[in-house]
Amino acid sequence: MKSPNRYGGVIHVYQKYNPVRFPSPTRGMPDMLSAAMNHMLMFGSLRELTEEELAQAVELDPSMFAGLGPSLQSLIEMLRQRKAKILATYEVETVHAEAARRYREFGQQLQPPERLAKRYERAFREEHIFELERLWYLAENENSEFARKILHLVQRLGDKYLIDELAAKYHFTGDRPMTIPEALEIKELLETIDRLLEQLEEAAKNARLGVIDLEALRRFVEEEDIQRLRGLMRQIEDLIRELAERQGLEQTKNGYRLTPKAYRLFQGRLLERIFSQLQAARSGRHTGPIVGEGNIELPQTKPYEFGDSLAHMDIPATMINALVRQGPGLPVKLLPEDIVIHKTRNVPKCATVVLLDMSGSMRYGGLYVDVKRMGLALDGLIRKEYPGDYLEFVEIYTFARRVHPSEIPTLMPKLVSVSDPVVRLRADMSDPRITEMDVPWHFTNIQRGLQLARQLLSVQDTPNRQIILITDGLPTAHFEGPYLYLMYPPHDRTEQATLREGLLCAREGITINLFLLPGWSQSSEDIRFAYKLAEATRGRVFFTAGKELDRYVVWDYLRRRREIIS
């Protein structure tokens, strides 16, 4: 029986190429923007990114570049064979014993001064290279015979260390003995091969050819292979430049900077990720009778009733009713029963202030990164879906200040400048000699953040006002008149001042929703305070891991919108 044809079988094995996994021509391009934005969120810097940093951040698929996979695999195999040949040629036991003998015999001949004899014997016996070096410093005369010989002994012990490492790290199976210089040279050669193999294997996974040390690789491969790699590197650099331009990264003489287009694209991707996780629970657009502003006409109509606004009259339907009733002829006289009105619905306006905790404790576990990502997601949601809503961001630390959405990526938790276990400080901020720079910034002043948010929301002409507070625990700072109090561990005095400000928010109809992040020092006291503050304003407390913060906040905002509408 004739066997079926197996075209390309040998090439399939040799190149490790699987035609079944051929990349789709409609596959999306690599996401460079998210890597750049995540870098900025982590380090809070607007410093321009170099091409090398951007190439390190982006995840590329090697299958996008013709010949990259086979080229790298052939180099990897070549280096592996070179390493295997070295290990099969030499044996290490002889040189290992020789290095130990040279050190031992030379050390036994040394005659240290009497005051250093015991110290020398112990260091020599324990092969403690640092102690032997210390003996050279303790010698009275650096030109003495003992001082000169101790340096030679340190060098021989160093050689012994390296050969010990060679014998432990590599398994030699050959029979050719090595001298000590040869062993050190072979050790350096094998370590270079290991380093290059690691670089090539990484490049084979993500196409980051920049990690390959081409000068070191030149020792083992032909110049033609080096030039082929350089050509592939130029292809990757050209692709990175093209992708950067598409995704809003603008090239300057110093590198790449993020443009407003990049911010919008990143916000869109955050929302896409959030809504993809919530797809099963999503609902439609806002519908139904509500209390708010901004009337929107619907296609449905109804007969005119006393009190309806004629601004929403369906003029064609009204004229047809009048003509049907009175017949042809001019003028056309309208009666109330002829008038048809469009049904309307209102789109409510929400006013929200988000308090972003940037105190010193937010540094632990990278919580501040998740807070900033949430801020960008919420800003993107409102800009895209609810452009009429009011949204402000306030950074809270020892003080509180408004921040523009474009500043969010640059926010960083404040450095802890006071490490005392108990802190009780008071500063008169009305004193012209005292400025904010004179006060530690790493405390948490929720009271001042609520006060600033209340002032911003009090002038908004909508009944739907809320404060979203994102923090990891109890407040540690508050104001009493012009006096600023810094108290750690958290004190009842600060808690009461913060709760009084929460009651002032409730009096003005402002709801406080609190997202409590898990902190390293969080206790039942933190949870109790969160419930007190939220209940005082008919708000809610959410307990969520930092990585899920953006999803919870955006979803809660949408749910609140639905509650207002219905």
Side-chain angles (χ1 to χ4, degrees):
M1 180 178 178
K2 186 176 180 180
S3 61
N5 293 326
R6 300 181 182 275
Y7 298 112
V10 174
I11 296 178
H12 174 92
V13 175
Y14 178 72
Q15 296 186 342
K16 296 186 178 180
Y17 168 74
N18 188 347
V20 175
R21 298 177 59 190
F22 190 81
S24 169
T26 60
R27 181 180 54 189
M29 297 303 289
D31 182 7
M32 303 181 63
L33 176 60
S34 295
M37 283 296 299
N38 288 329
H39 175 87
M40 179 177 289
L41 292 177
M42 177 63 71
F43 299 103
S45 173
L46 284 173
R47 177 181 61 82
E48 296 172 348
L49 297 172
T50 64
E51 290 188 3
E52 291 78 9
E53 290 172 330
L54 197 58
Q56 288 290 334
V58 68
E59 292 291 339
L60 298 175
D61 187 346
S63 64
M64 298 171 58
F65 306 96
L68 177 59
S71 296
L72 294 178
Q73 291 297 333
S74 64
L75 294 176
I76 290 172
E77 187 61 29
M78 186 186 305
L79 291 175
R80 286 174 176 168
Q81 291 180 6
R82 179 71 177 273
K83 178 180 177 180
K85 185 176 181 179
I86 294 173
L87 295 177
T89 301
Y90 295 96
E91 58 89 14
V92 76
E93 288 79 9
T94 302
V95 70
H96 195 197
E98 174 65 15
R101 184 190 62 79
R102 289 177 71 247
Y103 166 74
R104 185 173 57 255
E105 290 182 355
F106 190 85
Q108 290 173 349
Q109 298 174 4
L110 260 66
Q111 299 295 327
E114 184 177 353
R115 63 185 181 86
L116 300 177
K118 290 185 178 180
R119 189 167 181 175
Y120 168 76
E121 290 175 4
R122 184 173 62 253
F124 172 70
R125 183 177 63 255
E126 296 176 356
E127 299 182 0
H128 202 313
I129 195 169
F130 176 76
E131 285 298 321
L132 292 174
E133 290 175 349
R134 291 293 301 165
L135 289 172
W136 182 85
Y137 287 103
L138 294 174
E140 294 180 353
N141 185 359
E142 64 182 24
N143 295 320
S144 65
E145 183 179 1
F146 173 74
R148 292 197 305 271
K149 288 186 176 181
I150 200 71
L151 290 178
H152 289 292
L153 183 64
V154 168
Q155 181 179 358
R156 294 188 180 205
L157 180 56
D159 292 343
K160 182 179 181 299
Y161 279 179
L162 294 175
I163 293 175
D164 287 346
E165 183 183 357
L166 175 67
K169 188 175 182 179
Y170 299 102
H171 180 59
F172 289 88
T173 59
D175 55 6
R176 181 187 299 180
M178 296 178 282
T179 64
I180 290 178
E182 285 177 338
L184 298 179
E185 182 180 350
I186 288 174
K187 179 179 182 296
E188 187 273 335
L189 185 66
L190 290 172
E191 289 176 345
T192 301
I193 292 175
D194 286 343
R195 187 170 63 253
L196 288 171
L197 284 173
E198 184 179 348
Q199 295 170 359
L200 290 167
E201 288 169 355
E202 181 182 352
K205 294 177 182 178
N206 50 38
R208 293 177 182 169
L209 299 186
V211 302
I212 302 175
D213 186 350
L214 295 182
E215 293 303 317
L217 186 63
R218 198 185 298 272
R219 298 171 54 183
F220 306 98
V221 301
E222 300 292 336
E223 184 63 27
E224 180 182 352
D225 296 318
I226 298 294
Q227 294 305 320
R228 186 183 304 115
L229 280 181
R230 292 190 185 277
L232 291 169
M233 290 175 69
R234 285 192 291 270
Q235 291 183 33
I236 295 174
E237 290 171 359
D238 293 341
L239 175 64
I240 288 176
R241 293 192 190 98
E242 180 183 352
L243 292 175
E245 183 178 353
R246 290 185 190 177
Q247 299 180 23
L249 299 174
E250 185 178 86
Q251 187 172 18
T252 67
K253 61 180 182 179
N254 298 322
Y256 291 92
R257 71 178 186 88
L258 295 169
T259 64
K261 176 183 177 182
Y263 281 93
R264 291 193 298 271
L265 286 173
F266 184 68
Q267 289 175 329
R269 288 174 183 172
L270 282 177
L271 294 175
E272 182 179 351
R273 178 181 66 85
I274 292 169
F275 288 130
S276 67
Q277 296 172 350
L278 301 172
Q279 190 71 31
R282 289 184 64 189
S283 63
R285 287 285 186 173
H286 307 326
T287 58
I290 52 97
V291 177
E293 58 184 33
N295 289 332
I296 302 298
E297 288 187 354
L298 299 176
Q300 296 85 0
T301 59
K302 68 181 186 70
Y304 171 78
E305 297 177 4
F306 179 76
D308 287 341
S309 172
L310 295 179
H312 302 294
M313 182 172 65
D314 184 348
I315 297 177
T318 300
M319 296 302 295
I320 291 173
N321 288 342
L323 290 172
V324 169
R325 179 182 52 79
Q326 75 173 37
L330 295 175
V332 178
K333 296 182 180 181
L334 295 180
L335 296 179
E337 56 266 25
D338 298 329
I339 301 175
V340 177
I341 300 294
H342 278 287
K343 292 182 178 180
T344 62
R345 66 177 176 89
N346 293 327
V347 176
K349 176 180 178 181
C350 290
T352 304
V353 175
V354 183
L355 304 185
L356 308 173
D357 187 352
M358 286 293 147
S359 60
S361 60
M362 296 298 288
R363 182 178 301 274
Y364 301 106
L367 293 177
Y368 68 98
V369 176
D370 304 306
V371 171
K372 294 193 289 184
R373 187 179 288 113
M374 177 282 304
L376 291 175
L378 189 58
D379 180 65
L381 170 74
I382 292 178
R383 286 177 180 273
K384 181 178 180 180
E385 300 291 338
Y386 310 106
D389 282 6
Y390 173 84
L391 178 65
E392 282 284 353
F393 293 95
V394 172
E395 177 191 16
I396 57 174
Y397 47 108
T398 299
F399 302 94
R401 70 180 186 94
R402 294 172 63 181
V403 293
H404 191 270
S406 63
E407 298 179 69
I408 291 176
T410 66
L411 298 180
M412 292 294 289
K414 311 310 175 189
L415 293 176
V416 177
S417 56
V418 179
S419 56
D420 296 347
V422 178
V423 179
R424 295 291 185 264
L425 297 176
R426 186 182 74 169
D428 183 3
M429 300 308 296
S430 64
D431 189 339
R433 296 171 298 176
I434 300 178
T435 67
E436 290 189 5
M437 299 303 297
D438 299 317
V439 180
W441 280 16
H442 62 274
F443 291 82
T444 309
N445 195 339
I446 297 178
Q447 178 222 28
R448 177 57 184 152
L450 293 175
Q451 184 184 47
L452 180 56
R454 178 169 57 84
Q455 293 169 355
L456 294 172
L457 292 173
S458 63
V459 296
Q460 298 303 313
D461 55 345
T462 174
N464 310 313
R465 295 175 292 177
Q466 69 166 336
I467 296 172
I468 296 177
L469 170 60
I470 302 170
T471 184
D472 62 343
L474 286 164
T476 54
H478 73 280
F479 276 96
E480 293 182 10
Y483 292 100
L484 171 64
Y485 290 85
L486 307 179
M487 297 183 173
Y488 183 85
H491 195 273
D492 286 343
R493 188 170 182 176
T494 301
E495 181 179 338
Q496 293 303 318
T498 306
L499 291 174
R500 283 196 297 271
E501 185 59 43
L503 292 174
L504 292 176
C505 293
R507 187 178 300 174
E508 297 193 19
I510 299 172
T511 301
I512 300 176
N513 289 320
L514 198 147
F515 288 79
L516 192 61
L517 301 178
W520 64 274
S521 62
Q522 195 172 90
S523 66
S524 59
E525 294 297 314
D526 301 273
I527 298 173
R528 181 183 56 79
F529 165 76
Y531 274 118
K532 278 187 178 181
L533 184 59
E535 289 173 356
T537 61
R538 296 183 180 180
R540 290 161 294 178
V541 179
F542 296 86
F543 300 92
T544 175
K547 300 299 180 185
E548 300 293 321
L549 177 63
D550 53 356
R551 184 165 68 92
Y552 275 96
V553 173
V554 170
W555 187 238
D556 180 66
Y557 188 88
L558 293 175
R559 183 168 59 183
R560 177 175 169 79
R561 292 282 306 205
R562 289 201 306 275
E563 289 173 354
I564 293 170
I565 292 163
S566 59

